[in-house]
Amino acid sequence: MMRRSLMIATGSYLPERVVSNEELSTWVDTSDEWIRQRTGITQRHLAGEGELTSDLAIKAARNALDMAGLEGEDIDLIVVATTTPDDTFPATATKVQKALGAFNGAAFDVQAVCAGFVYALAVADNFLKAGQARTALVIGAETFSRLLDWEDRSTCVLFGDGAGAVLLRSTDGGTGNGWGVLSTHLHSDGRERDILYVDGGPSTTRTVGHVRMNGKEVFRHAVSKLSSVIDESLDANGLKAADVDWLIPHQANRRIIDAMANRMKLPAEKVVVSIERHANTSAASVPLALDEAVRDGRVRSGDLLLLEAIGGGLAWGAGLVRFGVPALSDRAGSETAREEVAPIA
Ligand code: ACO
């Protein structure tokens, strides 16, 4: 029987500083009305001077470890999804590793921009399924504000900073069948590079550069590509949209989120939306939204989650997850009753 990656805990962190649309309107020629109508955003958190992506990531990670009752030494894989690493190298994940004292395995970053968390989840899930690690910390963390051209109103109003994390623990043998990460589905298309990119980097300009975007084109691709990867995920598991308890979408634009929910015929109560308060936090957006819904009691153990995201590359993907840890009662009558779920602590 195949190993499974149970999603046993979540965590998040948002920088203290909140910038409202009104405040932003004093920096660039925009308005609260324009931003809210076009995107659903009302405010964003921005990292303070000297506050780094790793600082956000470490706080989100500690938050998740606390939920699970785990220590850094219990972790043998750290994957950080980020487009805004502290430095060109080493990986931001190694800073997280050091802060947590998690030296029993590997730590590295993945870069898939706004789809980064779904990519990192897929990477960690495959490590766990292959038996190469047992307990993984998967983090999406960004100080995306550092990539923005604060004179370009068409992009700077859209983004915010933050971090979210999940803990995955592999089961032994077939325990937890139907639980944890059911499947992940990744895609990219480098032909669409020019509709969303940063005009700089170590090998081109040697500077960091700024976000450049053709918003209408990104919007169009987002709706069609996310629709198709959602269908792909459900089909792969023989599930229907109605089986999904929670859609946890990338928070780029309220209109894209609503389009996905409508297509799946999911009522608004089954869609986790945080864009109004967080804006688009790139790789952090999905785990931030998830953690919020776990902590306020919406997402419960046993719920079926559909995570999806798209961003620069283009890169996009989705994952289906049955959240939490199977309870003893759930296992009593099942065919896997005699197999033990890996203890959480
Ligand atoms: N405030 C006021 N006016 C603005 C602003 C602003 N911040 N930005 C642009 N405008 C103006 C434009 O200049 C334009 O004016 P004009 O008609 O006089 O030329 C007008 O508003 C309309 O601009 P459009 O770009 O056509 O507006 P659109 O309805 O396409 O909305 C938006 C723009 C919100 C960016 C939308 O295209 C979108 O959300 N696209 C998806 C892109 C996205 O989500 N990117 C995030 C990163 S990728 C990802 O995470 C998926």
Side-chain angles (χ1 to χ4, degrees), residues 177-196:
N177 214 6
W179 283 74
V181 181
L182 304 186
S183 66
T184 54
H185 304 268
L186 306 182
H187 295 275
S188 39
D189 185 347
R191 290 170 298 186
E192 306 297 342
R193 183 256 182 210
D194 289 347
I195 65 172
L196 180 55

Side-chain angles (χ1 to χ4, degrees), residues 101-138:
F103 305 115
N104 292 323
F108 58 90
D109 293 354
V110 303
Q111 155 57 308
V113 209
C114 298
F117 180 77
V118 175
Y119 270 64
L121 181 69
V123 169
D125 176 45
N126 284 313
F127 267 67
L128 264 54
K129 280 185 178 145
Q132 198 167 350
R134 187 166 150 79
T135 309
L137 181 55
V138 184

Side-chain angles (χ1 to χ4, degrees), residues 25 96 117 132 149 156 181 198 251 285 318 333:
S25 312
V96 176
F117 180 77
Q132 198 167 350
D149 174 353
C156 75
V181 181
V198 160
Q251 313 281 320
S285 97

Side-chain angles (χ1 to χ4, degrees), residues 9-337:
T10 61
S12 64
Y13 179 76
L14 287 158
E16 270 172 36
R17 171 110 203 265
V18 175
V19 174
S20 66
N21 290 347
E22 285 82 6
E23 185 177 350
L24 208 52
S25 312
T26 66
W27 305 355
V28 282
D29 182 16
T30 188
S31 66
D32 175 51
E33 196 195 355
W34 192 96
I35 301 170
R36 261 191 299 113
Q37 274 184 2
R38 304 276 172 145
T39 70
I41 298 165
T42 62
Q43 62 169 51
R44 70 284 296 138
H45 291 248
L46 296 185
E49 190 70 33
E51 193 173 26
L52 305 182
T53 294
S54 62
D55 297 321
L56 311 186
I58 290 161
K59 286 180 173 150
R62 290 212 166 104
N63 198 219
L65 287 171
D66 285 350
M67 185 186 278
L70 291 185
E71 306 283 343
E73 64 190 25
D74 300 317
I75 306 298
D76 56 5
L77 177 66
I78 301 176
V79 187
V80 174
T82 188
T83 305
T84 45
D86 290 9
D87 303 300
T88 302
F89 79 83
T92 299
T94 58
K95 280 200 172 174
V96 176
Q97 179 189 42
K98 181 179 172 193
L100 301 179
F103 305 115
N104 292 323
F108 58 90
D109 293 354
V110 303
Q111 155 57 308
V113 209
C114 298
F117 180 77
V118 175
Y119 270 64
L121 181 69
V123 169
D125 176 45
N126 284 313
F127 267 67
L128 264 54
K129 280 185 178 145
Q132 198 167 350
R134 187 166 150 79
T135 309
L137 181 55
V138 184
I139 303 172
E142 302 276 18
T143 48
F144 217 79
S145 60
R146 310 252 155 84
L147 290 179
L148 299 174
D149 174 353
W150 288 98
E151 290 178 3
D152 176 10
R153 67 177 183 174
S154 72
T155 52
C156 75
V157 304
L158 303 175
F159 296 92
D161 300 331
V166 302
L167 276 163
L168 300 180
R169 172 156 274 200
S170 78
T171 59
D172 292 321
T175 307
N177 214 6
W179 283 74
V181 181
L182 304 186
S183 66
T184 54
H185 304 268
L186 306 182
H187 295 275
S188 39
D189 185 347
R191 290 170 298 186
E192 306 297 342
R193 183 256 182 210
D194 289 347
I195 65 172
L196 180 55
Y197 65 100
V198 160
D199 59 1
S203 184
T204 50
T205 59
R206 298 187 194 114
T207 59
V208 170
H210 293 117
V211 174
R212 304 296 172 207
M213 180 177 75
N214 177 338
K216 280 202 193 322
E217 276 298 293
V218 173
F219 194 102
R220 192 173 66 79
H221 280 286
V223 171
S224 73
K225 291 184 162 52
L226 290 173
S227 298
S228 87
V229 80
I230 286 171
D231 289 347
E232 183 186 332
S233 310
L234 293 170
D235 290 350
N237 293 280
L239 293 167
K240 296 190 200 58
D243 297 319
V244 172
D245 293 304
W246 295 101
L247 174 64
I248 321 265
H250 174 46
Q251 313 281 320
N253 185 312
R254 178 73 205 232
R255 290 184 290 150
I256 299 175
I257 296 172
D258 290 346
M260 289 312 106
N262 287 339
R263 208 175 161 277
M264 292 176 70
K265 298 193 174 62
L266 280 185
E269 308 84 71
K270 289 187 160 197
V271 185
V272 177
V273 181
S274 58
I275 184 168
E276 69 277 12
R277 283 163 293 110
H278 301 168
N280 181 350
T281 56
S282 186
S285 97
V286 169
L288 259 172
L290 172 59
D291 182 56
E292 206 168 75
V294 168
R295 281 172 200 271
D296 69 18
R298 277 177 289 170
V299 168
R300 289 152 177 261
S301 195
D303 283 354
L304 182 65
L305 317 180
L306 177 53
L307 319 180
E308 45 91 329
I310 182 166
L314 293 174
W316 66 101
L320 270 165
V321 179
R322 189 162 305 279
F323 181 79
V325 180
L328 284 169
S329 56
D330 290 348
R331 283 181 283 140
S334 81
E335 56 192 22
T336 57

